[in-house]
Amino acid sequence: MATIKDVAALAGVSLGTASRVLSGSSQTSPDSRARVTAAAKELDYIANGPARSLRRSRTDVLGLLVSDIRNPFFSELAHAAEREAQRRGYTVLLANADEDADQEAAYLRTFASQRIDGLLIAPQGSDVAPLRALRDGGLPLVFVDRSVDGLDVPTIGTDNEDGVRRALTWLHGRGHREVAFVGGPPEISTGRERRAAFLRFRDELGLSADPRLVAHGDFRAESGVEAMRAVLASGARPTAVLSADGLMTLGVARALREASAVESPDAVEIVSFDDLDWFSLVSPPISAVRNDATAIGRLGVAALVDVIQGRPGASHRVATSFVDRSEEHGAGA
């Protein structure tokens, strides 16, 4: 790889002159700028970004650590964050924790060593220590979708309580009383919040409080299968299921199709927290709480840039909407 010394030698100028031209300084002659620019192009010279960042204390690079890039929600969030970052003059380095705290810790160490300007993160659990160390070390942080108790960091997330309320109110209106819930892991904030909202609105609406109707997974499809199987194996017979994320909804649907204990799997109405493209294509179609990943990604970048530039980053709870597909498969229970 060509160095700045190679560029200076080919252009016939001093190292200082080449450095000033390549850094964009106007304190050089037109002839020097032309020769240095031509030499850099001929040698395919690439500026040393880390060295330049040490001089100006910024890299124009943001880190984004998502929980599971295979989850369409996080794919959409990452796409929106990248577009917003580019619009603001930043590049995004994307990493995938794969719903694994150890993998998250490894990426946090990597990001800390890369001198990024700030980090967007959907945390994996409740361990606040490594995140506090990064924040106290001067790295701007913003949480997206999830948060960690005990750390005052701007958080851009979903209004989980209202989303669950929308789903249960809709199911109640369709005559369901035996509603199962497949929730996320309690160590993750979204798992806790959605479960708490389910229990609250279940009681307020007078739905069944049978504890066998409540199970949890890890926000991945296979855990949805296992959780739904556990509900059915307990002897509970739900007429509807609320799944706490899109991938677990896939697992719930698979478990119901496989279950010999369910006389007619289609009679168990599924509602998902997260709306995925294929929900309208299955039979019967799946109604869903629409969780606005695009807004979360954009607002996350905006908040992080505010923190980087010395302004207070604002937290937001992004509103949900409900997609009713009941008319596509007839009347409810």
Side-chain angles (χ1 to χ4, degrees):
M1 182 178 294
T3 68
I4 192 171
K5 290 182 180 179
D6 298 327
V7 174
L10 181 60
V13 300
S14 69
L15 184 61
T17 297
S19 177
R20 285 192 293 274
V21 171
L22 294 172
S23 65
S25 172
S26 61
Q27 297 179 348
T28 54
S29 68
D31 178 63
S32 294
R33 289 197 293 274
R35 284 190 286 158
V36 169
T37 300
K41 183 176 181 180
E42 181 177 336
L43 293 172
D44 198 21
Y45 172 76
I46 300 174
N48 188 327
R52 187 172 65 247
S53 72
L54 287 171
R55 292 193 296 272
R56 63 191 183 103
S57 299
R58 58 176 292 181
T59 61
D60 296 329
V61 175
L62 307 179
L64 172 59
L65 182 52
V66 298
S67 301
D68 186 353
I69 197 61
R70 296 170 300 177
N71 188 322
F73 171 83
F74 286 111
S75 299
E76 183 180 341
L77 188 156
H79 180 260
E82 181 181 46
R83 294 288 297 273
E84 182 65 17
Q86 289 175 341
R87 191 181 71 82
R88 293 170 177 264
Y90 289 87
T91 299
V92 172
L93 295 181
L94 174 64
N96 173 38
D98 201 29
E99 299 289 4
D100 184 292
D102 291 337
Q103 187 158 314
E104 175 189 73
Y107 273 122
L108 289 177
R109 291 191 294 271
T110 298
F111 277 133
S113 70
Q114 292 300 309
R115 293 182 53 82
I116 57 175
D117 288 345
L119 177 63
L120 291 168
I121 178 172
Q124 296 310 295
S126 57
D127 187 3
V128 71
L131 295 169
R132 178 180 286 121
L134 287 175
R135 197 269 318 263
D136 292 349
L139 180 66
L141 295 177
V142 168
F143 292 147
V144 286
D145 185 56
R146 305 174 179 180
S147 62
V148 175
D149 292 339
L151 191 60
D152 185 16
V153 168
T155 300
I156 313 299
T158 298
D159 190 340
N160 291 304
E161 183 174 272
D162 190 57
V164 172
R165 179 194 63 79
R166 289 175 185 272
L168 287 186
T169 301
W170 184 80
L171 286 170
H172 178 269
R174 287 174 61 73
H176 293 288
R177 297 298 179 267
E178 298 290 322
V179 179
F181 178 66
V182 174
E187 64 270 19
I188 292 177
S189 62
T190 46
R192 291 193 303 274
E193 290 176 9
R194 291 173 194 176
R195 184 179 189 276
F198 173 82
L199 297 176
R200 173 187 168 186
F201 293 114
R202 176 198 71 181
D203 293 344
E204 287 187 7
L205 292 167
L207 305 181
S208 173
D210 185 346
R212 298 176 301 174
L213 290 169
V214 179
H216 71 271
D218 62 5
F219 288 138
R220 288 184 282 195
E222 189 56 37
S223 73
V225 174
E226 296 302 322
M228 194 67 239
R229 285 175 179 166
V231 170
L232 297 175
S234 74
R237 290 296 175 264
T239 62
V241 183
L242 172 59
S243 173
D245 102 311
L247 289 184
M248 290 196 304
T249 299
L250 172 61
V252 166
R254 184 185 304 158
L256 288 173
R257 292 288 179 186
E258 295 172 354
S260 60
V262 180
E263 185 175 334
S264 176
D266 291 354
V268 180
E269 190 153 29
I270 302 173
V271 173
S272 175
F273 199 114
D274 285 342
D275 187 29
L276 305 186
D277 291 342
W278 60 268
F279 286 173
S280 64
L281 304 178
V282 297
S283 180
I286 296 173
S287 297
V289 175
R290 181 163 288 166
N291 192 6
D292 195 344
T294 295
I296 292 173
R298 289 173 178 166
L299 290 170
V301 169
L304 185 58
V305 171
D306 280 342
V307 176
I308 290 169
Q309 296 180 354
R311 299 184 296 272
S315 294
H316 292 276
R317 285 283 187 175
V318 177
T320 63
S321 57
F322 190 79
V323 183
D324 180 354
R325 296 191 173 98
S326 59
E327 292 185 0
E328 300 175 32
H329 64 280

